[in-house]
């Protein structure tokens, strides 16, 4: 199994380290020729969604990435990665890949509460969660499963092979969300 990590900007190293600790081969996606190669899953890290969205277009990675996601490659977006996937962003006129049927709210916790740590359930198991100028999910479409709710706000969702968290599991030493994603990739590999 080989997982590609989008390495244009933001917290990508932390994802690579966790995957490597779990014995998973990783692959850095930095330019067009990288997205054209074969890999079994892809991670879109946290960072700044507008900058990442712009770079995806400038580097001509955007269209092929959308195509891969539409063709059902498992994808995991954290924080800005969730915003890249969202079909609509309530407080931003931009959208990016727009493959995940959610309406997200950007920088949703305001300035004071922009960053915080908490413990909450992910897929029915309590895990540590780190939020940094995080979005949350305001609305989900049909077929979107809610995996975490914190203070009444949806912060983790899954739609088929797309997984997204408003928090940063790569900034904690709990590997549960990565393991959940690795299982998605494994299951998908069985079907192709
Ligand atoms: N606030 C960032 C954005 O809107 C996301 C923050 C993050 O990824 N930690 O893109």
């Amino acid at each position: 199994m080989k997982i590609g990590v989008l390495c244009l900007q933001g917290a990508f190293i932390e994802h690579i380290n966790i995957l490597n600790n779990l014995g998973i081969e990783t692959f850095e996606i930095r330019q067009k020729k990288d997205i054209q190669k074969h890999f079994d899953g892809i991670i879109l890290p946290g960072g700044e969604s507008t900058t990442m969205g712009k770079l995806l277009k400038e580097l001509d990675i955007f269209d092929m990435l959308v195509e891969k996601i539409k063709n059902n490659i498992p994808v995991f977006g954290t924080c800005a990665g969730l915003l890249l996937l969202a079909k609509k962003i309530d407080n931003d006129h931009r959208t990016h890949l727009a493959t995940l049927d959610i309406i997200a709210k950007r920088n949703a916790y305001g300035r004071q509460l922009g960053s915080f740590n908490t413990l909450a359930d992910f897929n029915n198991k309590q895990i540590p969660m780190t939020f940094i100028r995080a979005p949350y999910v305001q609305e989900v479409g049909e077929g979107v499963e809610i995996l975490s709710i914190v203070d009444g706000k949806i912060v983790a969702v899954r739609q088929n092979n797309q997984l997204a968290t408003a928090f940063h599991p790569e900034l904690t030493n709990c590997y549960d969300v990565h393991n959940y994603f690795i299982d998605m990739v494994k299951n998908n590999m069985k079907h192709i």
Side-chain angles (χ1 to χ4, degrees):
M1 175 192 304
K2 203 190 225 181
I3 294 186
V5 179
L6 188 68
C7 295
L8 303 182
Q9 192 265 338
F12 53 83
I13 286 292
E14 291 80 356
H15 281 291
I16 291 175
N17 289 342
I18 290 189
L19 292 172
N20 291 342
N21 287 346
L22 290 169
I24 303 292
E25 193 184 340
T26 54
F27 170 72
E28 298 188 2
I29 300 164
R30 294 182 176 273
Q31 44 184 315
K32 189 175 183 183
K33 71 173 172 44
D34 301 327
I35 192 82
Q36 289 165 333
K37 296 203 176 125
H38 172 79
F39 43 95
D40 305 297
I42 179 161
I43 290 187
L44 310 175
E48 218 283 329
S49 52
T50 313
T51 310
M52 263 195 271
K54 240 193 233 160
L55 286 170
L56 283 172
K57 287 243 160 94
E58 278 170 26
L59 296 165
D60 202 14
I61 297 174
F62 190 94
D63 290 344
M64 194 159 283
L65 180 55
V66 171
E67 195 184 306
K68 281 197 182 237
I69 296 172
K70 289 197 170 152
N71 284 333
N72 231 15
I73 189 172
V75 60
F76 173 23
T78 56
C79 201
L82 175 147
L83 291 165
L84 287 179
L85 291 170
K87 239 177 205 163
K88 192 166 187 295
I89 303 174
D90 175 61
N91 51 344
D92 194 331
H93 61 280
R94 283 163 292 225
T95 53
H96 305 283
L97 304 166
T99 51
L100 177 62
D101 194 8
I102 58 169
I103 302 178
K105 185 163 182 188
R106 194 175 177 204
N107 299 327
Y109 294 89
R111 253 171 221 217
Q112 295 301 317
L113 288 172
S115 305
F116 60 95
N117 295 307
T118 190
L119 275 174
D121 277 9
F122 170 82
N123 194 31
N124 303 318
K125 192 177 163 220
Q126 202 174 60
I127 62 163
M129 296 180 184
T130 295
F131 291 81
I132 302 171
R133 300 211 14 97
Y136 60 64
V137 177
Q138 208 163 268
E139 244 180 86
V140 296
E142 225 176 279
V144 178
E145 188 185 348
I146 295 169
L147 298 172
S148 298
I149 294 181
V150 170
D151 292 335
K153 310 289 188 214
I154 301 166
V155 296
V157 291
R158 173 175 179 180
Q159 181 180 17
N160 302 321
N161 271 342
Q162 299 183 72
L163 173 69
T165 62
F167 55 92
H168 289 266
E170 78 285 7
L171 300 181
T172 68
N173 49 20
C174 169
Y175 293 179
D176 287 10
V177 185
H178 287 82
N179 277 321
Y180 180 94
F181 180 60
I182 290 165
D183 281 345
M184 283 170 60
V185 179
K186 270 188 201 151
N187 277 327
N188 191 58
M189 289 169 78
K190 278 188 218 152
H191 294 128
I192 49 176

